[in-house]
Amino acid sequence: MSKLSFTEHPRNVGETYVEHLGVSWSFARSMFRAGFAALIHGLFPFLFVTTGSSIVKRLNDRMVVNRIRQQSKTTT
């Protein structure tokens, strides 16, 4: 069993523990909003037609695309 570490993963993604906490909670807030929009959309298909997918696309950009850009900046 590996030793639990509050700093290993944040350090691996270039953040401090507190920075990582803030980013993670920001993602959680957005995911809750997307989930709520999806629930309402299921009941009322004419509401929040693109809200969930727009949030997911924005989160993907923040997490994957921007991280790739940051890694390429640090290696050049």
Side-chain angles (χ1 to χ4, degrees):
M1 182 165 156
S2 67
K3 181 181 170 184
L4 295 177
S5 171
F6 286 96
T7 58
E8 183 179 350
H9 171 66
R11 184 176 43 249
N12 289 341
V13 296
E15 298 168 346
T16 67
Y17 174 78
V18 174
E19 288 170 334
H20 191 69
L21 178 66
V23 170
S24 179
W25 284 3
S26 167
F27 271 75
R29 233 182 353 264
S30 293
M31 287 189 278
F32 279 121
R33 286 180 44 229
F36 180 75
L39 286 171
I40 299 302
H41 176 71
L43 292 170
F44 305 102
F46 50 88
L47 295 176
F48 304 115
V49 175
T50 61
T51 304
S53 60
S54 296
I55 291 172
V56 170
K57 287 175 188 174
R58 212 168 37 242
L59 289 174
N60 181 66
D61 187 52
R62 282 180 58 200
M63 183 168 47
V64 177
V65 177
N66 288 334
R67 185 167 296 154
I68 291 168
R69 285 186 203 134
Q70 282 181 335
Q71 288 174 349
S72 67
K73 285 181 185 178
T74 60
T75 59
T76 57

